[in-house]
Structures are given as structure tokens and as C-alpha cells.
Amino acid sequence: LDVNFAPYINFKGEARGVVVVLHDITEIRRLEKMRSDFVANVSHELRTPITSIKGFTETLLEGAMQDEETCRNFLQIISDESERLYRMIRDILDLSKIEQKRIPLHMSQVNVQELIASAAAVIHDQAQRKELSMALPTGEPDIWLMTDKDCLQQIMLNLLSNAVAYTPEGGEITINAKREGRNLKLQVIDTGIGIPEKDIPRIFERFYRVDKARSRDSGGTGLGLAIVKHLVENLHGQISVESKEGKGTTFTVTLPML
Ligand code: ADP
């Protein structure tokens, strides 16, 4: 609470009392704290790949370059970490634009099955490398949704690339799409490593990862789900998750069918 006092003086110049002005600044403080926490997190997260790039470069320059295999290994790490840094900066910029709703929605009638097929095509190679099978929605007549196509495409891509990243070789990924009352229900189901119960409430936070090391190996930035949650909210929808460790995870996105 921000409190200001001022004497109340009447027209004759006599002090008649005190004027007290109370401002509720809890919300302002909360936003300020969120912003400064975000900057602190971003700096920390960006420092990790930079430290590693710097370290391996210096070791190479100090003589490790003589050995070709070491050289190759180190350069691979430097290349992977640069890639991750690039993705991180891209995700941070995307997230801040989405959060500030600086991306206007471009609504159009979208064929949902077609959109899912094109998102699946983008990650097809990654999935195939891990011998993951992918089942797309079939049977139903075409579903049309008034929505922002790019926005929905990014939601599906992020969920699918997580499903691929956190499902061991030979697993299965299933995508469902169906009408439910006035809503469209989209699901991305995997048979992967699952998410421990205690972590579930936190996975949509920026930079939150269940297992930092494992997520880093998978090239993760810890921002994918934060982006998904904001995009879903921009489309006036909801997202939920069910998961069992060692069994798999289901993400469900519910969007209003206008
Ligand atoms: P990341 O870039 O680390 O994947 P995300 O924001 O996309 O970041 O996800 C946050 C965390 O949630 C991940 O680090 C991972 O631990 C967990 N997670 C997300 N999707 C899945 C999934 N399909 N299966 C298991 N764990 C998942």
C-alpha cells in the first residue's frame, strides 16, 4: 500500500484536518517483480550455453586442436550450443510478443485435419529417426474452425516436438481432433517418459524443466509450453495435461468453435 498524507487547510488558512490518500500498489509491485525475475532468469539461461561455447573454444585454442577427434567433438558441442542459444533468443522474443498481445490475430476458416497433417509433416523426420509411429485423426468429416492458423500451427508443433523429444525409440504419438459441444478438443498423446506428478503444476512456467540435463540434451529451451499456454489463451481456449511417469503424457487443448 502506498500512503500519502497532506494537511487539509480551509480557505481562511486554518488547518482543519488531514487528507489521506491510499494507493493499492500490490499489483504494480507484482508486475515489477515478475519483470525483474524474468530478466534474471533470461540472463541465467543465456549464460549457460555461452559459458559452454566459451569454455570449449578456449580449450581448442589452448592446444586441444591437435587431436582431430577431440576437435570434432568440441566443435559439435559448440555448434549444438549455438543452435540452442539461437532457439532460446527466438523463443524469448516470441514469448514477449505473445504475452504483450503484440501479435494481432488473423482469423480465417481453417481445416483442422489439414493443419494437423502439415504440423506432423514438419516433425516427420525427427520422429522417423527415433522410429516413432504417428497416428493422425481419421474417419471424421472435415472439421473447420475459425481461428488464427499460424497460432494453432505453432501450438501443435510445440506439443508434437515435445512428444517426439520425450518419447523413447519405438514409441507412439497419437493426435486426436473432435468436436465436443461448442468446443474443438485437440489431443497430443505420447507413450513417453511422462511427467512426475509434483512437476505437472509447473511445466507451463517459463524456463521450468523437469530434468534440466535431459531437457538440454533434447535441445529444449524450457519455453515451449509457456508459449503454447499463452497462444491457447489468446485463442480463448484452455490447455490441460495428464501424465504417468514411464507410461506417457496427454496434452488436451480445448478451443471454442465460434
Ligand atoms: P523444453 O524446451 O525443456 O521441452 P517445454 O516448456 O516445452 O520446455 O516443456 C517443459 C518441460 O515439461 C520439459 O522440460 C519436460 O520436462 C516436460 N515435458 C513437456 N512435454 C513433455 C512430454 N510430452 N513428455 C514428458 N515431459 C514433457
Side-chain angles (χ1 to χ4, degrees):
L1 212 61
D2 187 22
V3 188
N4 288 314
F5 293 95
Y8 172 58
I9 295 165
N10 72 5
F11 65 97
K12 291 181 197 154
E14 301 160 341
R16 305 301 294 181
V18 178
V19 180
V20 181
V21 182
L22 308 172
H23 285 289
D24 183 359
I25 54 168
T26 349
E27 182 59 15
I28 300 170
R29 283 276 149 77
R30 196 181 66 82
L31 290 175
E32 264 170 22
K33 186 171 179 330
M34 258 177 65
R35 208 165 303 140
S36 68
D37 283 356
F38 181 57
V39 173
N41 276 340
V42 166
S43 320
H44 175 80
E45 295 291 331
L46 293 181
R47 204 171 292 148
T48 326
I50 291 174
T51 307
S52 140
I53 291 168
K54 236 177 123 221
F56 284 102
T57 315
E58 277 162 16
T59 316
L60 281 176
L61 289 172
E62 278 159 15
M65 229 154 37
Q66 313 305 337
D67 182 55
E68 197 181 321
E69 204 188 322
T70 313
C71 194
R72 209 163 272 286
N73 283 339
F74 284 12
L75 285 174
Q76 189 60 54
I77 297 173
I78 292 169
S79 162
D80 292 347
E81 290 293 277
S82 316
E83 273 289 322
R84 203 158 70 85
L85 196 56
Y86 169 81
R87 279 198 299 273
M88 230 178 235
I89 292 168
R90 183 199 59 194
D91 285 359
I92 290 167
L93 293 177
D94 278 355
L95 188 59
S96 89
K97 272 190 259 170
I98 297 163
E99 274 184 344
Q100 295 172 27
K101 301 207 169 30
R102 274 198 282 130
I103 302 180
L105 294 177
H106 297 291
M107 306 298 270
S108 68
Q109 289 288 349
V110 173
N111 180 318
V112 174
Q113 284 97 329
E114 243 172 53
L115 181 132
I116 291 172
S118 80
V122 175
I123 59 143
H124 178 263
D125 283 1
Q126 263 168 283
Q128 207 168 38
R129 249 174 272 139
K130 291 180 84 175
E131 288 170 30
L132 301 174
S133 69
M134 249 201 289
L136 306 189
T138 51
E140 284 219 34
D142 283 354
I143 302 174
W144 291 88
L145 179 70
M146 188 64 172
T147 194
D148 182 303
K149 193 174 178 184
D150 292 343
C151 196
L152 188 56
Q153 171 102 1
Q154 193 172 0
I155 292 169
M156 292 311 293
L157 268 179
N158 285 12
L159 293 178
L160 284 172
S161 63
N162 277 351
V164 171
Y166 300 108
T167 303
E169 304 230 330
E172 273 166 48
I173 297 170
T174 310
I175 310 166
N176 288 332
K178 60 171 179 245
R179 278 199 201 88
E180 240 183 41
R182 291 163 161 253
N183 294 319
L184 170 70
K185 192 164 125 183
L186 291 168
Q187 288 185 309
V188 176
I189 307 166
D190 67 53
T191 59
I193 58 174
I195 304 166
E197 213 180 315
K198 67 169 177 37
D199 295 296
I200 288 185
R202 303 202 55 191
I203 53 167
F204 294 101
E205 290 173 22
R206 322 162 164 128
F207 299 120
Y208 191 82
R209 297 177 198 124
V210 175
D211 179 343
K212 287 220 172 211
R214 193 177 54 200
S215 159
R216 198 162 306 135
D217 288 346
S218 74
T221 63
L223 291 168
L225 287 179
I227 291 175
V228 166
K229 185 155 202 284
H230 276 96
L231 290 173
V232 170
E233 282 168 2
N234 284 1
L235 295 178
H236 308 290
Q238 283 165 340
I239 183 161
S240 63
V241 57
E242 272 172 78
S243 190
K244 263 216 157 56
E245 265 192 280
K247 287 261 190 285
T249 304
T250 300
F251 281 93
T252 306
V253 174
T254 315
L255 297 172
M257 294 189 88
L258 301 173

